[in-house]
Amino acid sequence: MNIEKSTKAARGTVQCENTNINLLKANDYVAEIIRNEMKKSNTLLINITSSAGSGKTTLMQKTAEKLKDKITLAVMVGDLETERDAERIRESGIQALQIVTGGICHLEAQMIHQVLPEYKLDDIDLLFIENVGNLVCPASFDLGEDYRVTLMASTEGDDKPKKYPRMFLTSDMMLISKCDLLPYLPFSVDAVTKDALEVNHELEVMQISALKDEGIDEWCDWLLEKIKQKQNN
Amino acid sequence: MHETSIVNSIMKTLEQEFEEKKLNTLSAIYVKVGKLSNIEPRLLHNAFTANNYCGTKYHHVKFHVESTEIKIQCLHCDHITQITDYKFMCEKCEKPSKNLIQGEEMLIHKVEFDD
Ligand SMILES: Nc1nc2c(ncn2[C@@H]2O[C@H](COP(=O)(O)OP(=O)(O)OP(=O)(O)O)[C@@H](O)[C@H]2O)c(=O)[nH]1
Ligand SMILES: [Mg+2]
Ligand SMILES: [Zn+2]
C-alpha cells in the first residue's frame, strides 16, 4: 500500500493526504481469493440476500430438490444464531453448513473462506451462500460470488428498491418471492420492477413461489445456464 | 448498523500502515463515506466517540466524516449526473447507467500527526 506522506500542512502537523485507504480492503482481498478458488474448481458461487424471512431457506430447499439429481450443489448459510436453517436444507439431501455470525448482521469474505475447506469444491457445480436476512450491510461485502440474487417477498411492500438502493444496484437478479400471496396483497409487481430497474437497469427479474412451485423451473434453468457458461469458460 | 466494526477497521488499518511511535502522535482522521455506502456519518462519529470513552490512547484524536454525493458518468455522452432520487439515469441523454464515479466510497483520505 502506497501512502503519500506530505508535510505541506499547517504548522505542527504532518499530513498524509489522499491516502484513500479503502475500509473494506481486507474483505475485498479475501473475496478475490475466493473468486480464484471458484474459478479453479469451476464452481458457480451465488450470494442470496433479502430481508429477514423473505424465503431464502425455502428456496434453497426447493432448488435442492429440483437439481440434486442433475448437478452437485451445496449451501452455506449465515445466521445470527442457531443451526436451524442448515438443518432444514440438509433434510433436502444436500450438504449445508451453518455460519453463526454471533450477532454480526452480514457475512464477510473471511467467514466464507474459513468454511470453504469443508467443501469438496472440485465436485461441486453450484454453491449457494444464504446471507443474513438484512438488505443493508450485506450489500457492502463482496463474497467472491459470480452472481448476487436478491429476494423481495410480496409480503414486504413494494417500496424496497429505493429504500435499499445499494443492494439492488449490486444485484444481478431480483426474485419476487411468495407470489402465491399476490392476490391477497396490495403489492404491485409492475411498480417494484419499475423502481428496481430505475436503480439498476441491468437487473433481471423473475417471479417465484417456492411453496406452490411456481417459477422455480425457470429459476433452475437460469442456474443451469450460468453453470454451463462458467464451466465452458 | 456496522459502524462500530468500521471504526475498529479504521484503527486496525492505521495500525498496519504506521509505526506505533508515529501513531502516538496521531491528531486527526478524515474519512469520506459515500451516500451509497450505507454508512450514516453521524453514527460513525458516535461509534468513534464511544470507542474513545473506553480509554484508548486515541481519546484526543479528532475524527472528521465527510459524506459524498452519488454521481454517475454517462457512457454515451460523458455527462456527469448527481443522483438524488436513486434513479440511475443520465439527466442529459436519459440513458440508464451504473457507471458510478462517486458515492460508494468508504475511505480514510487524510490523517494528521502532531509534530
Ligand atoms: N406463502 C408463501 N410462504 C413462503 C414462501 N416461501 C417461504 N415462505 C414462508 O416464509 C417464512 C420464511 O421463510 P424462510 O425460507 O425461512 O425465509 P428466510 O429468508 O430463509 O428467513 P431468514 O433466514 O430468517 O432471513 C416461512 O414461514 C416460509 O414457510 C412462498 O413461496 N409462499
Ligand atoms: Mg433462512
Ligand atoms: Zn448521457
Side-chain angles (χ1 to χ4, degrees), chain A residues 1 3 5 12-25 134 136-137 140 162 165-166 169 198-202, chain B residues 1-2 6 9-10 13 17-18 36-38 85-88 96-98 100 104 106-115:
Chain A
M1 164 91 34
I3 300 186
K5 297 178 176 126
T13 65
V14 182
Q15 272 195 2
C16 301
E17 204 133 15
N18 298 320
T19 54
N20 287 349
I21 306 170
N22 185 347
L23 295 185
L24 293 181
K25 183 182 76 171
N134 166 4
V136 186
C137 310
S140 301
K162 295 232 169 160
R166 177 89 186 257
L169 193 65
E198 280 185 5
V199 173
N200 177 0
H201 70 283
E202 287 166 355
Chain B
M1 274 204 187
H2 48 297
I6 300 279
S9 137
I10 291 173
T13 307
E17 302 290 340
F18 299 99
L36 257 187
S37 69
N38 287 331
D85 55 356
Y86 298 120
K87 193 167 182 171
F88 289 77
S97 171
K98 287 170 72 175
L100 281 164
E104 271 191 313
M106 309 156 82
L107 299 170
I108 306 170
H109 75 113
K110 193 162 95 178
V111 278
E112 286 173 358
F113 300 94
D114 282 327
D115 239 351

Short mmCIF file of all heavy atoms in Angstrom, two decimals, chain A residues 1 3 5 12-25 134 136-137 140 162 165-166 169 198-202, chain B residues 1-2 6 9-10 13 17-18 36-38 85-88 96-98 100 104 106-115:
data_model
loop_
_atom_site.label_atom_id
_atom_site.label_comp_id
_atom_site.label_asym_id
_atom_site.label_seq_id
_atom_site.Cartn_x
_atom_site.Cartn_y
_atom_site.Cartn_z
N MET A 1 0.84 -1.19 0.00
CA MET A 1 0.00 0.00 0.00
C MET A 1 0.87 1.24 0.00
O MET A 1 1.72 1.43 0.85
CB MET A 1 -0.90 -0.04 1.23
CG MET A 1 -1.55 1.28 1.58
SD MET A 1 -3.17 1.53 0.83
CE MET A 1 -3.79 -0.13 0.81
N ILE A 3 1.22 5.05 0.54
CA ILE A 3 0.59 6.23 1.10
C ILE A 3 1.55 7.38 0.91
O ILE A 3 2.70 7.31 1.32
CB ILE A 3 0.32 6.05 2.61
CG1 ILE A 3 -0.59 4.86 2.80
CG2 ILE A 3 -0.28 7.31 3.19
CD1 ILE A 3 -1.02 4.68 4.23
N LYS A 5 3.09 10.64 1.80
CA LYS A 5 3.16 11.45 3.01
C LYS A 5 3.68 12.82 2.64
O LYS A 5 4.79 12.99 2.18
CB LYS A 5 4.08 10.76 4.02
CG LYS A 5 3.51 9.41 4.43
CD LYS A 5 4.38 8.67 5.40
CE LYS A 5 3.67 7.40 5.82
NZ LYS A 5 4.39 6.19 5.64
N GLY A 12 3.03 22.39 12.76
CA GLY A 12 2.86 21.48 13.89
C GLY A 12 2.19 20.16 13.54
O GLY A 12 2.06 19.29 14.37
N THR A 13 1.78 20.02 12.29
CA THR A 13 1.16 18.74 11.93
C THR A 13 1.81 18.16 10.69
O THR A 13 2.34 18.89 9.84
CB THR A 13 -0.35 18.90 11.64
OG1 THR A 13 -0.48 19.71 10.48
CG2 THR A 13 -1.08 19.51 12.79
N VAL A 14 1.81 16.87 10.60
CA VAL A 14 2.25 16.19 9.39
C VAL A 14 1.01 15.55 8.80
O VAL A 14 0.25 14.89 9.49
CB VAL A 14 3.27 15.08 9.73
CG1 VAL A 14 3.75 14.42 8.45
CG2 VAL A 14 4.44 15.67 10.49
N GLN A 15 0.82 15.79 7.52
CA GLN A 15 -0.40 15.25 6.91
C GLN A 15 -0.10 14.12 5.96
O GLN A 15 0.93 14.10 5.32
CB GLN A 15 -1.07 16.35 6.09
CG GLN A 15 -2.02 17.19 6.87
CD GLN A 15 -2.90 17.98 5.96
OE1 GLN A 15 -2.79 17.85 4.74
NE2 GLN A 15 -3.74 18.79 6.51
N CYS A 16 -0.99 13.21 5.88
CA CYS A 16 -0.94 12.22 4.82
C CYS A 16 -2.16 12.47 3.98
O CYS A 16 -3.27 12.19 4.40
CB CYS A 16 -0.97 10.82 5.38
SG CYS A 16 0.39 10.54 6.49
N GLU A 17 -1.94 13.04 2.84
CA GLU A 17 -3.08 13.47 2.06
C GLU A 17 -3.49 12.41 1.04
O GLU A 17 -2.66 11.67 0.56
CB GLU A 17 -2.73 14.77 1.33
CG GLU A 17 -3.94 15.56 0.99
CD GLU A 17 -3.77 17.03 1.37
OE1 GLU A 17 -2.64 17.47 1.64
OE2 GLU A 17 -4.77 17.72 1.38
N ASN A 18 -4.75 12.39 0.74
CA ASN A 18 -5.28 11.48 -0.27
C ASN A 18 -4.76 10.06 -0.11
O ASN A 18 -4.32 9.44 -1.06
CB ASN A 18 -4.91 11.98 -1.67
CG ASN A 18 -5.52 13.32 -1.93
OD1 ASN A 18 -6.66 13.56 -1.54
ND2 ASN A 18 -4.76 14.20 -2.53
N THR A 19 -4.81 9.59 1.10
CA THR A 19 -4.34 8.22 1.29
C THR A 19 -5.29 7.24 0.63
O THR A 19 -4.87 6.26 0.06
CB THR A 19 -4.22 7.90 2.79
OG1 THR A 19 -5.48 8.21 3.40
CG2 THR A 19 -3.13 8.71 3.43
N ASN A 20 -6.58 7.57 0.70
CA ASN A 20 -7.59 6.71 0.08
C ASN A 20 -7.43 5.24 0.41
O ASN A 20 -7.34 4.39 -0.46
CB ASN A 20 -7.59 6.89 -1.44
CG ASN A 20 -8.21 8.22 -1.81
OD1 ASN A 20 -8.80 8.88 -0.97
ND2 ASN A 20 -8.07 8.60 -3.05
N ILE A 21 -7.35 4.95 1.68
CA ILE A 21 -7.33 3.56 2.09
C ILE A 21 -8.76 3.06 2.14
O ILE A 21 -9.59 3.61 2.85
CB ILE A 21 -6.70 3.41 3.50
CG1 ILE A 21 -5.32 4.07 3.53
CG2 ILE A 21 -6.61 1.95 3.88
CD1 ILE A 21 -4.75 4.17 4.93
N ASN A 22 -9.05 2.07 1.38
CA ASN A 22 -10.39 1.51 1.36
C ASN A 22 -10.65 0.75 2.66
O ASN A 22 -9.90 -0.12 3.05
CB ASN A 22 -10.52 0.56 0.17
CG ASN A 22 -11.93 0.05 0.04
OD1 ASN A 22 -12.75 0.18 0.94
ND2 ASN A 22 -12.22 -0.55 -1.09
N LEU A 23 -11.75 1.10 3.30
CA LEU A 23 -12.03 0.47 4.60
C LEU A 23 -12.32 -1.01 4.47
O LEU A 23 -12.22 -1.76 5.41
CB LEU A 23 -13.20 1.17 5.28
CG LEU A 23 -12.96 2.61 5.66
CD1 LEU A 23 -14.13 3.15 6.43
CD2 LEU A 23 -11.70 2.71 6.50
N LEU A 24 -12.74 -1.43 3.29
CA LEU A 24 -13.05 -2.85 3.12
C LEU A 24 -11.95 -3.57 2.36
O LEU A 24 -12.16 -4.64 1.80
CB LEU A 24 -14.40 -3.02 2.41
CG LEU A 24 -15.58 -2.54 3.24
CD1 LEU A 24 -16.88 -2.76 2.49
CD2 LEU A 24 -15.64 -3.25 4.58
N LYS A 25 -10.76 -2.99 2.37
CA LYS A 25 -9.62 -3.56 1.66
C LYS A 25 -9.41 -5.03 2.02
O LYS A 25 -9.25 -5.87 1.14
CB LYS A 25 -8.38 -2.73 2.05
CG LYS A 25 -7.11 -3.11 1.38
CD LYS A 25 -5.98 -2.21 1.91
CE LYS A 25 -5.56 -2.63 3.30
NZ LYS A 25 -4.35 -1.96 3.81
N ASN A 134 -31.08 -9.26 5.76
CA ASN A 134 -30.80 -7.85 6.02
C ASN A 134 -30.43 -7.24 4.67
O ASN A 134 -29.57 -7.76 3.97
CB ASN A 134 -29.64 -7.79 7.03
CG ASN A 134 -28.98 -6.44 7.16
OD1 ASN A 134 -29.40 -5.45 6.57
ND2 ASN A 134 -27.93 -6.39 7.95
N VAL A 136 -29.22 -4.17 4.24
CA VAL A 136 -28.28 -3.06 4.36
C VAL A 136 -26.83 -3.54 4.28
O VAL A 136 -26.19 -3.44 3.24
CB VAL A 136 -28.52 -2.27 5.67
CG1 VAL A 136 -27.63 -1.04 5.70
CG2 VAL A 136 -29.98 -1.85 5.78
N CYS A 137 -26.33 -4.09 5.38
CA CYS A 137 -24.90 -4.40 5.45
C CYS A 137 -24.41 -5.42 4.41
O CYS A 137 -23.34 -5.22 3.84
CB CYS A 137 -24.54 -4.88 6.85
SG CYS A 137 -25.17 -3.77 8.11
N SER A 140 -22.60 -4.33 1.14
CA SER A 140 -21.25 -3.76 1.04
C SER A 140 -20.15 -4.81 0.98
O SER A 140 -19.00 -4.49 0.72
CB SER A 140 -20.97 -2.86 2.25
OG SER A 140 -21.92 -1.83 2.31
N LYS A 162 -35.90 1.38 -3.66
CA LYS A 162 -35.37 2.73 -3.46
C LYS A 162 -35.01 2.98 -2.00
O LYS A 162 -34.31 3.94 -1.69
CB LYS A 162 -36.37 3.76 -3.97
CG LYS A 162 -36.54 3.63 -5.49
CD LYS A 162 -36.37 4.93 -6.20
CE LYS A 162 -36.27 4.67 -7.69
NZ LYS A 162 -36.56 5.84 -8.50
N PRO A 165 -31.15 1.05 -2.02
CA PRO A 165 -30.65 1.07 -3.41
C PRO A 165 -29.34 0.31 -3.60
O PRO A 165 -29.14 -0.30 -4.64
CB PRO A 165 -30.49 2.57 -3.69
CG PRO A 165 -30.43 3.22 -2.36
CD PRO A 165 -31.27 2.40 -1.45
N ARG A 166 -28.47 0.36 -2.60
CA ARG A 166 -27.16 -0.29 -2.79
C ARG A 166 -27.33 -1.77 -3.09
O ARG A 166 -26.62 -2.34 -3.91
CB ARG A 166 -26.32 -0.09 -1.52
CG ARG A 166 -24.96 -0.78 -1.54
CD ARG A 166 -23.93 0.15 -2.12
NE ARG A 166 -22.63 -0.46 -2.31
CZ ARG A 166 -21.60 -0.24 -1.49
NH1 ARG A 166 -21.74 0.49 -0.41
NH2 ARG A 166 -20.43 -0.78 -1.78
N LEU A 169 -28.63 -2.19 -6.60
CA LEU A 169 -27.60 -1.77 -7.56
C LEU A 169 -26.53 -2.84 -7.74
O LEU A 169 -25.97 -3.00 -8.83
CB LEU A 169 -26.96 -0.47 -7.04
CG LEU A 169 -26.11 0.32 -8.01
CD1 LEU A 169 -26.96 0.84 -9.15
CD2 LEU A 169 -25.45 1.49 -7.30
N GLU A 198 -35.07 1.31 -12.30
CA GLU A 198 -34.55 2.69 -12.25
C GLU A 198 -33.24 2.72 -11.48
O GLU A 198 -32.35 3.49 -11.79
CB GLU A 198 -35.58 3.62 -11.61
CG GLU A 198 -36.67 4.03 -12.59
CD GLU A 198 -37.64 5.06 -12.00
OE1 GLU A 198 -37.43 5.55 -10.87
OE2 GLU A 198 -38.60 5.38 -12.70
N VAL A 199 -33.14 1.88 -10.47
CA VAL A 199 -31.89 1.80 -9.73
C VAL A 199 -30.83 1.06 -10.56
O VAL A 199 -29.70 1.51 -10.67
CB VAL A 199 -32.10 1.09 -8.38
CG1 VAL A 199 -30.77 0.85 -7.67
CG2 VAL A 199 -33.03 1.90 -7.48
N ASN A 200 -31.22 -0.05 -11.14
CA ASN A 200 -30.27 -0.90 -11.86
C ASN A 200 -30.91 -1.46 -13.12
O ASN A 200 -31.66 -2.43 -13.07
CB ASN A 200 -29.82 -2.03 -10.92
CG ASN A 200 -28.88 -3.01 -11.60
OD1 ASN A 200 -28.55 -2.87 -12.78
ND2 ASN A 200 -28.47 -4.02 -10.86
N HIS A 201 -30.59 -0.85 -14.25
CA HIS A 201 -31.29 -1.22 -15.49
C HIS A 201 -30.85 -2.58 -16.01
O HIS A 201 -31.47 -3.12 -16.92
CB HIS A 201 -31.09 -0.14 -16.55
CG HIS A 201 -29.69 -0.06 -17.08
ND1 HIS A 201 -28.66 0.52 -16.36
CD2 HIS A 201 -29.13 -0.49 -18.23
CE1 HIS A 201 -27.54 0.45 -17.05
NE2 HIS A 201 -27.79 -0.17 -18.18
N GLU A 202 -29.79 -3.15 -15.43
CA GLU A 202 -29.33 -4.46 -15.90
C GLU A 202 -29.91 -5.62 -15.08
O GLU A 202 -29.64 -6.78 -15.34
CB GLU A 202 -27.80 -4.53 -15.85
CG GLU A 202 -27.15 -3.69 -16.94
CD GLU A 202 -25.65 -3.49 -16.70
OE1 GLU A 202 -25.13 -3.90 -15.65
OE2 GLU A 202 -25.02 -2.88 -17.57
N MET B 1 -25.41 0.49 10.87
CA MET B 1 -25.57 -0.81 11.51
C MET B 1 -24.23 -1.42 11.90
O MET B 1 -24.10 -2.02 12.95
CB MET B 1 -26.27 -1.78 10.55
CG MET B 1 -27.77 -1.66 10.65
SD MET B 1 -28.50 -3.17 10.12
CE MET B 1 -30.24 -2.70 10.14
N HIS B 2 -23.25 -1.32 11.02
CA HIS B 2 -21.96 -1.92 11.33
C HIS B 2 -20.91 -0.83 11.59
O HIS B 2 -19.74 -1.03 11.35
CB HIS B 2 -21.53 -2.87 10.21
CG HIS B 2 -21.67 -2.26 8.84
ND1 HIS B 2 -22.86 -1.88 8.32
CD2 HIS B 2 -20.75 -1.99 7.92
CE1 HIS B 2 -22.66 -1.37 7.12
NE2 HIS B 2 -21.40 -1.42 6.85
N ILE B 6 -16.71 -0.73 11.56
CA ILE B 6 -15.99 0.16 10.64
C ILE B 6 -14.92 0.95 11.40
O ILE B 6 -13.79 1.08 10.96
CB ILE B 6 -16.97 1.14 9.95
CG1 ILE B 6 -18.02 0.39 9.15
CG2 ILE B 6 -16.22 2.15 9.10
CD1 ILE B 6 -17.61 -0.07 7.81
N SER B 9 -12.10 -1.20 12.14
CA SER B 9 -11.32 -1.45 10.93
C SER B 9 -10.45 -0.25 10.57
O SER B 9 -9.33 -0.40 10.09
CB SER B 9 -12.27 -1.86 9.80
OG SER B 9 -11.94 -1.24 8.62
N ILE B 10 -10.96 0.95 10.84
CA ILE B 10 -10.15 2.15 10.60
C ILE B 10 -8.90 2.12 11.48
O ILE B 10 -7.78 2.32 11.01
CB ILE B 10 -10.96 3.44 10.89
CG1 ILE B 10 -12.07 3.62 9.85
CG2 ILE B 10 -10.03 4.67 10.90
CD1 ILE B 10 -13.03 4.75 10.15
N THR B 13 -6.49 -0.59 10.42
CA THR B 13 -5.80 -0.23 9.19
C THR B 13 -4.65 0.74 9.48
O THR B 13 -3.54 0.56 9.00
CB THR B 13 -6.78 0.44 8.20
OG1 THR B 13 -7.89 -0.42 8.04
CG2 THR B 13 -6.12 0.69 6.86
N GLU B 17 -0.58 0.52 8.87
CA GLU B 17 0.12 1.42 7.96
C GLU B 17 1.21 2.24 8.63
O GLU B 17 2.15 2.67 7.98
CB GLU B 17 -0.88 2.38 7.28
CG GLU B 17 -2.00 1.71 6.50
CD GLU B 17 -1.49 1.03 5.23
OE1 GLU B 17 -0.39 1.39 4.76
OE2 GLU B 17 -2.18 0.13 4.73
N PHE B 18 1.07 2.49 9.92
CA PHE B 18 2.02 3.38 10.59
C PHE B 18 2.65 2.70 11.80
O PHE B 18 2.04 1.84 12.42
CB PHE B 18 1.32 4.67 11.04
CG PHE B 18 0.74 5.46 9.91
CD1 PHE B 18 -0.61 5.37 9.62
CD2 PHE B 18 1.54 6.28 9.13
CE1 PHE B 18 -1.16 6.10 8.57
CE2 PHE B 18 1.00 7.01 8.07
CZ PHE B 18 -0.34 6.91 7.78
N LEU B 36 -24.01 6.12 -0.84
CA LEU B 36 -24.44 4.75 -1.16
C LEU B 36 -23.75 3.72 -0.29
O LEU B 36 -23.99 2.53 -0.44
CB LEU B 36 -24.11 4.44 -2.62
CG LEU B 36 -25.20 4.47 -3.67
CD1 LEU B 36 -24.62 3.97 -4.99
CD2 LEU B 36 -26.42 3.66 -3.29
N SER B 37 -22.90 4.17 0.60
CA SER B 37 -22.09 3.20 1.34
C SER B 37 -22.84 2.58 2.51
O SER B 37 -22.35 1.66 3.16
CB SER B 37 -20.82 3.88 1.87
OG SER B 37 -21.18 4.80 2.90
N ASN B 38 -24.06 3.06 2.74
CA ASN B 38 -24.86 2.56 3.86
C ASN B 38 -24.21 2.89 5.21
O ASN B 38 -24.49 2.23 6.20
CB ASN B 38 -25.08 1.05 3.78
CG ASN B 38 -26.05 0.69 2.69
OD1 ASN B 38 -26.93 1.48 2.36
ND2 ASN B 38 -25.91 -0.49 2.11
N ASP B 85 -32.60 10.82 -6.44
CA ASP B 85 -33.81 10.03 -6.18
C ASP B 85 -33.59 8.55 -6.50
O ASP B 85 -34.53 7.81 -6.72
CB ASP B 85 -34.96 10.57 -7.01
CG ASP B 85 -34.58 10.60 -8.49
OD1 ASP B 85 -33.42 10.28 -8.82
OD2 ASP B 85 -35.43 10.92 -9.33
N TYR B 86 -32.32 8.14 -6.53
CA TYR B 86 -31.95 6.75 -6.84
C TYR B 86 -32.44 6.30 -8.21
O TYR B 86 -32.68 5.14 -8.44
CB TYR B 86 -32.44 5.80 -5.75
CG TYR B 86 -31.81 6.11 -4.42
CD1 TYR B 86 -32.60 6.44 -3.34
CD2 TYR B 86 -30.43 6.09 -4.27
CE1 TYR B 86 -32.01 6.76 -2.11
CE2 TYR B 86 -29.85 6.41 -3.06
CZ TYR B 86 -30.64 6.74 -1.97
OH TYR B 86 -30.07 7.04 -0.79
N LYS B 87 -32.61 7.27 -9.10
CA LYS B 87 -32.91 6.93 -10.48
C LYS B 87 -31.59 7.05 -11.23
O LYS B 87 -31.13 8.16 -11.48
CB LYS B 87 -33.95 7.91 -11.02
CG LYS B 87 -34.58 7.49 -12.31
CD LYS B 87 -35.80 8.37 -12.57
CE LYS B 87 -36.49 7.96 -13.86
NZ LYS B 87 -37.77 8.62 -14.01
N PHE B 88 -30.98 5.92 -11.54
CA PHE B 88 -29.63 5.93 -12.11
C PHE B 88 -29.70 6.11 -13.62
O PHE B 88 -29.59 5.17 -14.38
CB PHE B 88 -28.87 4.67 -11.71
CG PHE B 88 -28.49 4.67 -10.25
CD1 PHE B 88 -29.43 4.38 -9.27
CD2 PHE B 88 -27.21 5.02 -9.85
CE1 PHE B 88 -29.09 4.42 -7.93
CE2 PHE B 88 -26.86 5.06 -8.51
CZ PHE B 88 -27.80 4.76 -7.55
N PRO B 96 -30.01 4.97 -19.07
CA PRO B 96 -29.67 4.43 -17.75
C PRO B 96 -28.19 4.11 -17.65
O PRO B 96 -27.54 3.80 -18.66
CB PRO B 96 -30.50 3.16 -17.66
CG PRO B 96 -30.86 2.79 -19.05
CD PRO B 96 -30.86 4.06 -19.85
N SER B 97 -27.64 4.20 -16.44
CA SER B 97 -26.22 3.94 -16.27
C SER B 97 -25.91 3.50 -14.85
O SER B 97 -26.54 3.92 -13.90
CB SER B 97 -25.43 5.22 -16.59
OG SER B 97 -24.07 5.03 -16.23
N LYS B 98 -24.93 2.60 -14.74
CA LYS B 98 -24.46 2.17 -13.42
C LYS B 98 -23.02 2.61 -13.23
O LYS B 98 -22.35 2.14 -12.33
CB LYS B 98 -24.49 0.64 -13.32
CG LYS B 98 -25.86 0.06 -13.18
CD LYS B 98 -25.83 -1.45 -13.35
CE LYS B 98 -25.21 -2.17 -12.18
NZ LYS B 98 -25.30 -3.63 -12.33
N LEU B 100 -20.82 4.41 -11.74
CA LEU B 100 -20.65 5.28 -10.57
C LEU B 100 -19.24 5.85 -10.53
O LEU B 100 -18.27 5.12 -10.69
CB LEU B 100 -20.85 4.47 -9.30
CG LEU B 100 -22.28 4.18 -8.91
CD1 LEU B 100 -22.31 3.06 -7.89
CD2 LEU B 100 -22.92 5.43 -8.34
N GLU B 104 -19.93 5.54 -3.55
CA GLU B 104 -19.83 4.21 -2.96
C GLU B 104 -18.69 4.12 -1.97
O GLU B 104 -18.55 3.13 -1.28
CB GLU B 104 -19.52 3.19 -4.07
CG GLU B 104 -20.69 2.60 -4.74
CD GLU B 104 -20.24 1.42 -5.59
OE1 GLU B 104 -19.25 1.54 -6.33
OE2 GLU B 104 -20.88 0.37 -5.50
N MET B 106 -15.76 4.30 0.89
CA MET B 106 -15.55 4.36 2.34
C MET B 106 -14.05 4.47 2.47
O MET B 106 -13.35 3.48 2.39
CB MET B 106 -16.00 3.06 3.00
CG MET B 106 -17.40 2.63 2.62
SD MET B 106 -17.61 0.85 2.82
CE MET B 106 -17.94 0.76 4.50
N LEU B 107 -13.56 5.69 2.63
CA LEU B 107 -12.11 5.89 2.56
C LEU B 107 -11.56 6.68 3.74
O LEU B 107 -12.22 7.58 4.26
CB LEU B 107 -11.76 6.69 1.29
CG LEU B 107 -12.11 6.10 -0.06
CD1 LEU B 107 -11.91 7.17 -1.13
CD2 LEU B 107 -11.24 4.90 -0.34
N ILE B 108 -10.36 6.30 4.15
CA ILE B 108 -9.58 7.17 5.01
C ILE B 108 -8.79 8.03 4.04
O ILE B 108 -7.96 7.50 3.31
CB ILE B 108 -8.58 6.38 5.88
CG1 ILE B 108 -9.30 5.29 6.66
CG2 ILE B 108 -7.82 7.31 6.81
CD1 ILE B 108 -8.35 4.31 7.35
N HIS B 109 -9.06 9.31 3.94
CA HIS B 109 -8.35 10.04 2.89
C HIS B 109 -7.29 10.99 3.42
O HIS B 109 -6.52 11.54 2.67
CB HIS B 109 -9.32 10.73 1.93
CG HIS B 109 -9.96 11.95 2.47
ND1 HIS B 109 -9.70 13.20 1.98
CD2 HIS B 109 -10.83 12.13 3.48
CE1 HIS B 109 -10.40 14.09 2.66
NE2 HIS B 109 -11.09 13.47 3.57
N LYS B 110 -7.27 11.19 4.74
CA LYS B 110 -6.23 12.05 5.29
C LYS B 110 -6.04 11.73 6.77
O LYS B 110 -7.00 11.46 7.47
CB LYS B 110 -6.64 13.52 5.11
CG LYS B 110 -5.54 14.51 5.34
CD LYS B 110 -5.92 15.85 4.71
CE LYS B 110 -6.54 16.77 5.73
NZ LYS B 110 -6.88 18.10 5.18
N VAL B 111 -4.80 11.73 7.20
CA VAL B 111 -4.54 11.62 8.64
C VAL B 111 -3.52 12.68 9.03
O VAL B 111 -2.66 13.04 8.23
CB VAL B 111 -4.01 10.22 9.06
CG1 VAL B 111 -5.14 9.25 9.22
CG2 VAL B 111 -3.00 9.69 8.08
N GLU B 112 -3.64 13.21 10.22
CA GLU B 112 -2.71 14.23 10.69
C GLU B 112 -2.02 13.78 11.96
O GLU B 112 -2.63 13.11 12.79
CB GLU B 112 -3.47 15.55 10.97
CG GLU B 112 -3.88 16.29 9.71
CD GLU B 112 -4.76 17.49 10.01
OE1 GLU B 112 -5.10 17.74 11.19
OE2 GLU B 112 -5.13 18.17 9.03
N PHE B 113 -0.76 14.21 12.08
CA PHE B 113 0.02 13.89 13.28
C PHE B 113 0.55 15.16 13.90
O PHE B 113 0.86 16.13 13.19
CB PHE B 113 1.21 12.99 12.91
CG PHE B 113 0.81 11.69 12.29
CD1 PHE B 113 0.75 11.56 10.91
CD2 PHE B 113 0.48 10.60 13.08
CE1 PHE B 113 0.37 10.36 10.33
CE2 PHE B 113 0.10 9.40 12.51
CZ PHE B 113 0.04 9.28 11.13
N ASP B 114 0.68 15.17 15.21
CA ASP B 114 1.36 16.28 15.87
C ASP B 114 2.85 16.09 15.72
O ASP B 114 3.34 14.97 15.81
CB ASP B 114 1.00 16.31 17.36
CG ASP B 114 -0.37 16.90 17.59
OD1 ASP B 114 -0.75 17.80 16.82
OD2 ASP B 114 -1.06 16.43 18.52
N ASP B 115 3.51 17.18 15.50
CA ASP B 115 4.95 17.06 15.32
C ASP B 115 5.67 17.09 16.66
O ASP B 115 5.29 17.81 17.54
CB ASP B 115 5.46 18.23 14.45
CG ASP B 115 6.14 17.65 13.23
OD1 ASP B 115 6.32 16.42 13.21
OD2 ASP B 115 6.46 18.42 12.31
#
